[in-house]
Amino acid sequence: MTRKPRIAKLLSPLIGLFGLLFIASGAASYYMAHTQLKAQEITVADDASFLAGDIVDGPFSAYSQAATVEKHALGITKGKTYAELDQEDPIRAVAAESSFVRASLLTAVTAFGLSALVAGLGVVLLFVAFALGSLTRAVAPAKEKAAEETDGLEPATA
């Protein structure tokens, strides 16, 4: 008795569909993060360690600007973080605002990374679906051919 790989035949297109869905949602999220960040019209500071003067619209420019904001804030606070400053220090408000801006930029970097991860997982799922479908097509004819050679009869036992 031969069993056709029914579950694999069902899963292959389903996994492929999820792969396409992951690619589409990852690309849409990446594009949305890009357009929202670009709409803010932020330019990487001229003294940034890389991408100086670039428009902040992607993960690298956002990270560069976040690093530059941190550098400027530490310069203003003489190397102290928000938590290290005295509560009555008037510079503490500047440290808080720069911390919020930096956190927002790093959140955008994370959004880009997660979007790319989801799209990458979609590509992997497409490869898995293709491999599973190929395996199913290769196994099914071989089992059917083996069944035809024995004419479906079970060997006699003594």
Side-chain angles (χ1 to χ4, degrees), residues 17-28 115 117-123 125:
L17 182 65
F18 275 108
L20 292 174
L21 182 66
F22 274 41
I23 291 169
S25 63
S115 298
L117 173 68
V118 169
L121 285 174
V123 171
L125 286 175

Side-chain angles (χ1 to χ4, degrees), residues 45-62:
D46 291 335
D47 62 337
S49 57
F50 63 101
L51 296 177
D54 192 26
I55 300 221
V56 178
D57 62 352
F60 299 111
S61 56

